[in-house]
């Protein structure tokens, strides 16, 4: 299986934060969910893919093209959608599209107009007059109308109503019906990925915790619920994190078979992606 996106040993340091040797691969014909709490490093990774900031180490390849040495060719194959689209506010949508079109050899004006109609967008309307959801739809139209081989979406469903969120996820699933294409979907709304992602990459504090097929994550992680026996120091290595509460003890394991043998009377619940994030980064949803 060929790689649409291959990231190896990526590093970037800022004051108080650093990406630490980030590596993962997005195969062609797949959707990769890039997940983690706010501040984990997801947006920094995307900026490095798009060469909006310069990496300090590592490599980024888009369909085998180095994103620095072959920047123009690599970017022509990427469609990008950001949570807060930064486009010229006081300009009609059709003018924004006309300015973007020359940068993409495969720009399809008919497809652009068709998507505008499908999304209920008026080409003569100015960008500043659009609601947040309509701005996202316009950004998606721009990303889709030049036959992008790799869609990169940074928190695209944040602030959207449930109906359009579902439509967007269905459209992404449709994109990869062409097995040469792929999607990198960055989000902290993990429920969006439970339905659509083929692979999950979890980033915490600038480092990759895992990058695995979604089903391996679902089947390979569990929340173990029990009493004081879970705190046995000799069996503590079975758990990635332990949490005590007035109602008992819960622990996160990525070695379910061994944990079941060690604690046959405990309750085992399949760990969601959100469970894993919370256990491994307890402050993630309390910023």
């Amino acid at each position: 299986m060929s790689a649409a996106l291959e990231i190896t040993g990526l590093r970037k340091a800022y004051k108080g934060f650093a990406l630490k040797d980030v590596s993962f691969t997005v195969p062609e014909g797949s959707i990769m969910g890039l997940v983690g709490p706010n501040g984990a490093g997801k947006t920094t990774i995307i900026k490095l893919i798009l060469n909006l900031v310069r990496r300090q180490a590592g490599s980024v390849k888009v369909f085998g093209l180095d994103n620095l040495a072959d920047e123009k060719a690599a970017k022509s194959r990427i469609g990008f959608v950001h949570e807060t689209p930064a486009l010229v506010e006081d300009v009609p949508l059709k003018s924004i599209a006309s300015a973007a079109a020359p940068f993409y050899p495969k720009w399809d004006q008919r497809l652009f107009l068709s998507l505008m109609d499908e999304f209920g967008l008026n080409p003569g309307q100015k960008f500043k007059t659009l609601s947040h959801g309509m701005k996202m739809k316009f950004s998606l139209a721009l990303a889709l109308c030049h036959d992008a081989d790799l869609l990169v979406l940074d928190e695209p469903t944040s602030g959207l109503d449930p109906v359009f969120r579902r439509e967007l996820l269905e459209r992404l699933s449709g994109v990869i019906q062409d097995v040469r294409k792929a999607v990198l979907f960055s989000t902290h709304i993990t429920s969006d990925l439970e339905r659509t992602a083929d692979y999950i990459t979890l980033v915490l504090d600038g480092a990759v915790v895992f990058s695995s097929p979604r089903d391996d994550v679902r089947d390979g992680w569990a929340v173990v619920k029990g009493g004081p026996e879970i705190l046995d120091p000799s069996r503590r290595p079975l758990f990635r994190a332990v949490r005590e509460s007035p109602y008992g003890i819960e622990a996160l394991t990525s070695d379910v078979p061994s944990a079941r043998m060690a604690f046959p009377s405990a309750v085992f619940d399949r760990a969601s992606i959100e469970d894993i994030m919370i256990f491994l980064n307890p402050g993630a949803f309390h910023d």
Side-chain angles (χ1 to χ4, degrees):
M1 187 179 298
S2 300
L5 175 67
E6 186 175 7
I7 294 176
T8 307
L10 199 59
R11 294 185 188 178
K12 178 67 177 180
Y14 298 98
K15 185 177 180 180
F17 175 79
L19 286 183
K20 310 172 187 75
D21 294 316
V22 167
S23 298
F24 63 87
T25 298
V26 182
E28 291 182 14
S30 72
I31 297 175
M32 169 70 81
L34 180 63
V35 301
N38 292 331
K42 304 186 302 297
T43 295
T44 298
I45 291 170
I46 288 176
K47 286 181 177 179
L48 289 164
I49 293 169
L50 299 174
N51 196 24
L52 298 177
V53 296
R54 287 299 180 109
R55 62 186 182 239
Q56 293 166 325
S59 66
V60 176
K61 293 186 177 180
V62 179
F63 296 96
L65 299 169
D66 184 273
N67 77 324
L68 296 184
D70 304 297
E71 182 175 12
K72 183 177 179 180
K75 284 186 173 179
S76 72
R77 301 187 70 174
I78 297 175
F80 176 56
V81 177
H82 189 265
E83 176 187 8
T84 52
L87 297 171
V88 182
E89 293 281 339
D90 199 30
V91 171
L93 304 185
K94 61 184 178 182
S95 298
I96 295 175
S98 296
F103 292 96
Y104 299 102
K106 295 184 179 180
W107 180 275
D108 186 334
Q109 185 66 13
R110 284 188 179 182
L111 177 57
F112 170 71
L113 293 175
S114 174
L115 289 168
M116 292 286 284
D117 184 62
E118 178 183 341
F119 293 158
L121 292 165
N122 178 358
Q125 191 171 2
K126 291 185 177 180
F127 185 74
K128 68 179 182 181
T129 66
L130 301 181
S131 66
H132 174 68
M134 297 302 273
K135 286 180 178 179
M136 292 300 299
K137 289 183 178 182
F138 179 63
S139 295
L140 184 61
L142 291 178
L144 291 172
C145 70
H146 59 86
D147 195 29
D149 295 314
L150 173 64
L151 284 180
V152 177
L153 304 104
D154 189 11
E155 301 283 0
T157 58
S158 180
L160 296 181
D161 66 79
V163 174
F164 183 58
R165 279 174 57 194
R166 179 61 64 89
E167 290 176 358
L168 173 59
L169 297 174
E170 290 176 352
R171 182 171 288 278
L172 296 181
S173 296
V175 166
I176 62 167
Q177 295 306 305
D178 182 339
V179 297
R180 300 166 298 173
K181 299 184 182 297
V183 176
L184 177 65
F185 187 119
S186 166
T187 185
H188 65 275
I189 305 175
T190 56
S191 60
D192 288 340
L193 300 176
E194 301 278 1
R195 292 189 294 268
T196 58
D198 301 295
Y199 298 87
I200 303 291
T201 295
L202 172 60
V203 180
L204 292 176
D205 193 26
V208 173
V209 177
F210 60 74
S211 186
S212 306
R214 180 192 59 184
D215 290 344
D216 287 358
V217 177
R218 294 178 63 190
D219 297 337
W221 293 73
V223 176
V224 186
K225 300 178 181 179
E229 72 278 3
I230 287 180
L231 299 177
D232 180 350
S234 67
R235 292 180 284 188
R236 181 64 177 80
L238 289 171
F239 301 123
R240 301 290 293 268
V242 176
R243 182 172 62 197
E244 296 184 61
S245 77
Y247 308 102
I249 299 168
E250 297 181 331
L252 179 72
T253 183
S254 57
D255 187 354
V256 178
S258 297
R260 286 189 182 277
M261 291 181 62
F263 302 100
S265 62
V267 175
F268 283 74
D269 292 337
R270 175 181 282 173
S272 67
I273 300 169
E274 184 171 306
D275 288 331
I276 298 170
M277 286 171 55
I278 291 173
F279 268 96
L280 297 183
N281 187 25
F285 297 102
H286 304 285
D287 295 341

